[in-house]
């Protein structure tokens, strides 16, 4: 164990979590991983000194700070509340940092359960892509007590470039859903327009150039540009199923707060349709092709 460093527990070593874990190890923190079939290959992490254990409870027994990076609310709740879950091994003072995308009302309940078990909680969801995760350049949106946020900043800066304190517990997840609604919504509009352009006989490069030089320019277009022009989906490695999930979380939040969500409902249905028609783990750029080939 490295002297003076907290032991970090990592639950969820997928496309995003693997980059987080790699940067934590690179900065000299002892790391304990939950062994899970959804993990990316962890050989390089183990070679760098990380250990792996079989249950969330075992992670909690060995770590001072635990980072969750799983798919969504059902998975977070399972990690915490299952018979061999995190709460079964949580030690007093342990910090739980949830980097997943989750329904904020569930986040508040989970934070309360962690606090009642003697732990502390931050919700710190991330934006950007696996590329930035590997580079240690994620954006984090953090909710929780400011004093705890400040104390955890040295760890967070191992894998994040821009860190924003948003407010009390749940605020990070609320801001993440707002962000994803806007970013995924823009991508959905561009994908639908690109499919229409294809059917209307508009050259893909002309479409992209006109949008980029006008009101359609921005991050969403640049991430979709390679697919629109040449079928390369590497610019946006985000699945249609996750897009559908995130829009569903957003509309749930909007309903719970009494906010209007008319446009969000339509975008959610578009992603639902794409996820249903596509193979598992199909990335969002393929929505262009699915819509262009739609026979209905």
């Amino acid at each position: 164990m490295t002297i003076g460093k907290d032991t970090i527990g990592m639950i969820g070593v997928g496309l995003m979590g693997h980059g987080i874990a790699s940067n934590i190890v690179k900065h000299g923190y002892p790391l304990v991983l939950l062994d899970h079939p959804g993990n990316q290959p962890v050989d390089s992490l183990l070679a760098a000194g990380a250990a792996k254990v079989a249950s969330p409870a075992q992670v909690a027994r060995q770590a001072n700070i635990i980072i969750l990076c799983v798919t969504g609310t059902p998975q977070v709740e399972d990690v915490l509340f299952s018979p061999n879950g995190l709460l079964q091994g949580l030690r007093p003072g342990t910090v739980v940092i949830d980097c997943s995308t989750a329904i904020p009302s569930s986040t508040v309940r989970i934070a309360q359960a962690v606090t009642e078990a003697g732990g502390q909680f931050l919700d710190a969801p991330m934006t950007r892509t696996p590329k930035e995760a590997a580079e240690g350049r994620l954006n984090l949106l953090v909710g929780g007590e400011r004093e705890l946020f400040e104390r955890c900043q040295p760890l967070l800066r191992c894998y994040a470039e821009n860190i924003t304190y948003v407010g009390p517990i749940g605020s990070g997840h609320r801001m993440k859903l707002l962000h994803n609604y806007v970013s995924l919504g823009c991508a959905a509009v561009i994908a639908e327009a690109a499919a229409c352009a294809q059917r209307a006989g508009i050259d893909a490069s002309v479409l992209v150039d006109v949008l980029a030089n006008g009101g359609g320019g921005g991050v969403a277009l640049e991430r979709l540009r390679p697919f629109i022009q040449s079928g390369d989906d590497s610019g946006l490695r985000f699945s249609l199923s996750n897009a559908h999930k995130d829009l569903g979380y957003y509309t749930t939040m909007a309903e719970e707060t009494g906010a209007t969500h008319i446009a969000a409902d339509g975008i959610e249905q578009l992603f639902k349709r794409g996820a249903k028609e596509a193979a598992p783990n199909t990335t969002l750029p393929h929505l262009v092709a699915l819509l262009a080939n739609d026979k209905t």
Side-chain angles (χ1 to χ4, degrees), residues 97-117:
I97 303 175
D98 185 9
C99 288
S100 313
T101 302
I103 297 171
S105 55
S106 173
T107 299
V108 173
R109 291 193 298 270
I110 287 170
Q112 183 177 354
V114 168
T115 301
E116 290 173 352

Side-chain angles (χ1 to χ4, degrees), residues 4-251:
K5 294 278 191 179
D6 287 305
T7 297
I8 311 302
M10 189 82 199
I11 298 178
V13 192
L15 287 173
M16 300 295 282
H18 194 279
I20 292 173
S22 297
N23 281 288
I24 287 171
V25 168
K26 187 186 300 182
H27 282 80
Y29 286 90
L31 185 66
V32 179
L33 309 172
L34 175 66
D35 193 16
H36 190 276
N39 288 349
Q40 293 289 297
V42 297
D43 293 350
S44 62
L45 298 174
L46 299 177
K52 62 180 180 179
V53 296
S55 72
Q58 287 177 280
V59 173
R61 292 186 186 107
Q62 296 187 35
N64 308 104
I65 302 175
I66 302 165
I67 297 173
L68 311 181
C69 190
V70 297
T71 303
T73 291
Q75 292 77 21
V76 176
E77 292 179 348
D78 184 65
V79 163
L80 268 291
F81 300 119
S82 63
N84 208 12
L86 206 61
L87 291 178
Q88 300 302 311
L90 197 71
R91 297 175 297 167
T94 298
V95 179
V96 178
I97 303 175
D98 185 9
C99 288
S100 313
T101 302
I103 297 171
S105 55
S106 173
T107 299
V108 173
R109 291 193 298 270
I110 287 170
Q112 183 177 354
V114 168
T115 301
E116 290 173 352
Q120 301 177 84
F121 185 91
L122 292 175
D123 49 299
M126 54 207 161
T127 68
R128 292 188 166 171
T129 71
K131 176 179 181 292
E132 285 84 20
E135 294 169 349
R137 297 179 51 247
L138 289 171
N139 296 332
L140 295 183
L141 311 168
V142 186
E145 293 183 2
R146 181 175 279 278
E147 183 180 348
L148 180 61
F149 163 70
E150 297 291 351
R151 181 155 65 85
C152 291
Q153 279 222 50
L155 172 64
L156 301 179
R157 293 205 175 278
C158 290
Y159 59 91
E161 180 177 35
N162 301 304
I163 303 173
T164 302
Y165 177 73
V166 184
I169 284 172
S171 298
H173 279 146
R174 293 185 186 101
M175 188 66 244
K176 172 64 184 293
L177 295 180
L178 289 162
H179 170 275
N180 277 23
Y181 169 49
V182 173
S183 62
L184 293 172
C186 289
V189 169
I190 292 168
E192 196 170 71
C196 182
Q198 186 174 327
R199 286 194 168 207
I202 299 295
D203 181 85
S205 294
V206 173
L207 171 72
V208 169
D209 287 345
V210 169
L211 292 178
N213 291 324
V219 173
L221 178 64
E222 293 310 309
R223 287 178 174 172
L224 288 172
R225 179 196 286 266
F227 188 87
I228 294 171
Q229 292 184 311
S230 63
D232 175 6
D233 71 348
S234 62
L236 186 52
R237 294 175 65 196
F238 195 83
S239 71
L240 281 166
S241 59
N242 272 337
H244 175 227
K245 180 260 298 180
D246 284 5
L247 262 292
Y249 285 3
Y250 175 82
T251 57

